[in-house]
Amino acid sequence: MSGTTRREFLGTAAAAGGGVALGTPQGASAQNASAPQTVAVLGGGVAGLTAAHELAERGFRVTVYERKSLGGKARSMDVPDSDTGGRRPLPGEHGFRFIPGIYHNLPDTMRRIPFPGNPGGVHDNLVAPKEMLFARSGGREDIRIPLPWPDNTPAELTPDEIRRAFTAVLDTTFNLPLHEALYFANRFLVFLTSCDQRRDGEWERTPWWDFVRAGRMSYDYQRVLAVGITRNIVATKAEEASTRTVGTLLEAFAFNVLGRGADGPLDRILNAPTNEAWIDPWVTYLKSLGVEFRVGWTVRDLTLEAGVIAGAVVEDRSGVRQIVTADHYISAMPVEHARRTWNSAVRAADPQLAECDRLETDWMTGIQFYLTERVPIVHGHLDLIDSPWSLTAIAQAQHWPGRDFPADYGDGTVADCLSVDVSEWDRPGILYGKTAKQCTRTEVAREVWAQLKASLNDSGRTVLKDSVLHSWFLDPAVDGLGTPHPVNDEQLLIHPVGTFHHRPQSATKIPNLFLAGDYVAVPIDLATMEGANSSARQAVNALLDRCGSTAQRCTVTPLYRAPELEPLRRHDRTRYLLGLPNAFDLG
């Protein structure tokens, strides 16, 4: 097929037949012609698999092209040469999964992926941690926070009730000075009552650090409410992150805690390694619908003829380039990879593609430590507030009740997996005085381990012992560490001020090209699996509109907004248009 163009190359998948999961849209024959239309989905991460899912259930013939592994950054991966005696390889990953209750679209997809013994499909593999821990270093007391799931919804919300409740939580939980807790509660109230125009304008241009006046406050205020929140919610730097992004997610999480508008508990994780609990069953289901996969095939270019995409130039596993064709194309790659495939002709056809050059990515990468004993740190996520490399972590085996680590994985001696995300790669560490990028892979592992111990072993008891460390696994997407040119092949979209306005729509001006990925403008302004899923749903809806399909459209559920606050937001719209600050903004 090298060097040839065949219209039906992507249409070789068998048509979906028989029954499918609950929630499958009816009227699956979405096309007016007798033969199903073909779609090339370029990228096999969460966005690409979601697009394939929605299209296949509507009768399209789909082929997914993925350069590395299905699941993208959400996947788990086998640690090479870690299995002996017929056991499974140790599970590694790009970073631990976190599927909060504020998500609605991704959980809907998970409910529609069959899983043996689960009435609710893969969704039933989600479990709720009981607590989270803000670990301090230097002998300071750690902050342990229970994560209850409320049974009752508050009858009403008023600005005064919100301010009082939030102040009490901050003052009690984090032991902040009362005046700082009051001030932060007021800033949160300002955002809650801000109209969309103020959020998209003023707050999109304001860094979260400046919005909460972190520079004027105590160290604890800075580390917990400025740095800690941005790291846990949006995986970006407080000094750069847009207030619109941070505030929108904090709003949703706050109402999640109150039981408002949530799919489930605040914190949810999978009860097994990601591929076992989610990705592999998903791929199996999609294959049953006729979806075909080309893994190891890299998209290099898109060809434009007569105003439409005439083909995608791909490179197969052997390095041979060829052109594949379809009726429609969904670009579902991360933005840093997708924009490399948009040549000058494609960009000229739709100016919003060039705007994507202004979107930014940064490093946030996982490392797993395999332990010969289970470590009772916390039943949930761990935030090492004072760590120079901004570490977050979770001990995973306790959440995988159906998996016997010593018996099922590795060499039979591994009892737990401590999965750690490194968010700060450009700040000196405590062991070598070098940034993470300047360290070798081994030095990164030793430095992260040292920072973990500095936060967990500083209060009179030894939580982490060197003797229990079996091995470690650093994301292979990171390469060249310790050299002048370190690289990360799987970076994370970040949200500096102003970047919201450079995010593209799913529908492009090219009639048969659509965009999906967490960089696309969606209701959740965040680099998340929910954003990737939502964007794919939008892309499929745009495709259905373009081809005149009568198939049911995908639902795209926005983040929850409390209806009681709408009058205050309408009032703020008037104030914003008059050039006045929010009524609660005390400066």
Side-chain angles (χ1 to χ4, degrees):
M1 292 180 288
S2 177
T4 62
T5 301
R6 293 197 297 148
R7 187 67 174 167
E8 293 300 319
F9 177 79
L10 297 180
T12 56
V20 293
L22 292 176
T24 301
Q26 298 302 309
S29 182
Q31 300 75 23
N32 295 325
S34 58
Q37 294 187 28
T38 58
V39 183
V41 175
L42 311 177
V46 171
L49 294 179
T50 301
H53 188 151
E54 300 293 347
L55 288 165
E57 288 188 345
R58 289 164 173 80
F60 289 82
R61 300 172 68 182
V62 182
T63 302
V64 176
Y65 293 86
E66 166 55 40
R67 68 189 181 97
K68 294 179 74 171
S69 302
L70 297 174
K73 289 190 287 289
R75 73 191 185 281
S76 54
M77 60 194 88
D78 295 340
V79 177
D81 304 318
S82 64
D83 53 323
T84 62
R87 300 178 188 85
R88 300 175 182 178
L90 293 171
E93 58 195 354
H94 178 79
F96 54 74
R97 302 283 75 73
F98 171 49
I99 304 174
I102 66 171
Y103 290 3
H104 287 276
N105 300 294
L106 183 69
D108 171 71
T109 295
M110 297 178 84
R111 287 186 175 94
R112 290 157 46 205
I113 303 170
F115 192 90
N118 287 0
V122 161
H123 186 274
D124 289 353
N125 291 335
L126 293 176
V127 294
K130 300 175 183 178
E131 56 188 353
M132 69 177 297
L133 183 71
F134 288 83
R136 311 304 306 268
S137 59
R140 308 186 71 183
E141 191 65 34
D142 295 341
I143 305 168
R144 190 179 296 266
I145 303 176
L147 297 176
W149 177 235
D151 296 323
N152 299 314
T153 300
E156 62 177 345
L157 291 172
T158 67
D160 187 58
E161 288 171 339
I162 293 171
R163 182 166 30 213
R164 287 175 181 272
F166 213 60
T167 302
V169 169
L170 296 175
D171 183 45
T172 303
T173 304
F174 298 112
N175 297 316
L176 293 170
L178 180 59
H179 73 278
E180 292 190 349
L182 283 167
Y183 187 79
F184 187 87
N186 176 258
R187 299 309 292 166
F188 183 52
L189 183 61
V190 168
F191 187 85
L192 284 180
T193 57
S194 289
C195 63
D196 289 337
Q197 291 80 1
R198 190 183 300 277
R199 294 184 182 200
D200 294 348
E202 184 177 1
W203 301 144
E204 174 60 20
R205 297 191 303 268
T206 304
W208 179 252
W209 181 273
D210 294 345
F211 178 76
V212 298
R213 309 295 193 268
R216 307 178 189 175
M217 303 299 183
S218 67
Y219 174 82
D220 284 354
Y221 182 100
Q222 294 173 354
R223 297 303 298 179
V224 175
L225 299 180
V227 175
I229 283 178
T230 55
R231 185 193 313 161
N232 283 310
I233 294 181
V234 297
T236 191
K237 298 177 176 65
E239 297 85 351
E240 302 174 0
S242 154
T243 293
R244 180 193 186 280
T245 296
V246 180
T248 299
L249 271 294
L250 183 59
E251 175 183 24
F253 278 116
F255 287 117
N256 192 169
V257 171
L258 295 174
R260 288 287 194 96
D263 182 81
L266 178 70
D267 189 1
R268 296 180 297 186
I269 57 178
L270 292 164
N271 64 1
T274 307
N275 276 28
E276 295 180 36
W278 174 24
I279 302 300
D280 290 345
W282 200 3
V283 172
T284 298
Y285 175 61
L286 296 183
K287 287 181 177 178
S288 76
L289 297 180
V291 176
E292 292 198 351
F293 295 95
R294 303 285 186 267
V295 179
W297 291 46
T298 303
V299 181
R300 297 298 185 188
D301 197 12
L302 298 176
T303 59
L304 188 72
E305 296 179 9
V308 298
I309 300 299
V313 179
V314 299
E315 190 175 283
D316 65 20
R317 286 178 176 272
S318 63
V320 176
R321 291 197 175 191
Q322 53 191 286
I323 298 177
V324 297
T325 63
D327 296 312
H328 310 279
Y329 302 81
I330 294 182
S331 178
M333 295 172 281
V335 65
E336 68 272 23
H337 297 293
R339 59 194 176 197
R340 296 172 189 165
T341 69
W342 302 332
N343 56 47
S344 58
V346 171
R347 286 165 177 259
D350 190 346
Q352 72 169 343
L353 299 179
E355 285 291 297
C356 292
D357 290 341
R358 304 175 70 173
L359 299 178
E360 300 180 32
T361 61
D362 201 353
W363 292 36
M364 184 177 183
T365 303
I367 181 171
Q368 286 78 55
F369 294 97
Y370 302 100
L371 312 177
T372 56
E373 297 177 7
R374 291 202 178 185
V375 180
I377 303 174
V378 62
H379 193 276
H381 290 97
L382 165 70
D383 186 337
L384 287 81
I385 292 178
D386 304 308
S387 58
W389 288 2
S390 296
L391 306 181
T392 50
I394 187 169
Q396 294 184 312
Q398 64 186 322
H399 305 291
W400 296 347
R403 302 297 185 273
D404 189 336
F405 246 93
D408 294 344
Y409 295 90
D411 61 7
T413 65
V414 174
D416 206 347
C417 173
L418 182 60
S419 186
V420 184
D421 275 348
V422 181
S423 300
E424 177 55 74
W425 286 77
D426 296 304
R427 185 174 299 167
I430 64 175
L431 198 60
Y432 299 105
K434 297 191 292 187
T435 70
K437 292 177 182 177
Q438 292 170 335
C439 291
T440 65
R441 297 180 74 84
T442 298
E443 288 173 340
V444 167
R446 290 173 178 170
E447 178 71 54
V448 172
W449 185 253
Q451 292 186 32
L452 288 167
K453 291 194 298 181
S455 290
L456 297 174
N457 293 354
D458 65 328
S459 56
R461 67 190 185 100
T462 302
V463 177
L464 287 183
K465 298 179 293 185
D466 292 339
S467 60
V468 306
L469 180 57
H470 175 279
S471 55
W472 53 268
F473 176 73
L474 177 60
D475 189 344
V478 173
D479 197 13
L481 292 176
T483 75
H485 304 290
V487 295
N488 185 346
D489 191 46
E490 297 186 29
Q491 297 192 34
L492 191 72
L493 183 75
I494 58 174
H495 308 270
V497 293
T499 53
F500 170 76
H501 300 296
H502 304 307
R503 299 176 70 158
Q505 301 298 313
S506 291
T508 75
K509 294 184 182 300
I510 301 172
N512 63 341
L513 176 64
F514 308 90
L515 306 180
D518 59 12
Y519 67 97
V520 174
V522 290
I524 183 169
D525 177 22
L526 191 62
T528 58
M529 297 180 290
E530 174 79 348
N533 182 279
S534 301
S535 69
R537 290 165 177 250
Q538 287 184 172
V540 170
N541 286 346
L543 188 155
L544 296 175
D545 291 343
R546 287 270 174 86
C547 69
S549 170
T550 58
Q552 180 179 332
R553 285 351 186 219
C554 309
T555 58
V556 182
T557 304
L559 292 171
Y560 178 77
R561 300 271 289 268
E564 297 97 321
L565 300 180
E566 285 304 320
L568 292 170
R569 283 192 274 262
R570 287 195 297 269
H571 176 68
D572 186 60
R573 181 176 184 274
T574 301
R575 294 182 63 88
Y576 180 74
L577 294 176
L578 292 173
L580 299 173
N582 180 278
F584 296 99
D585 197 339
L586 304 178

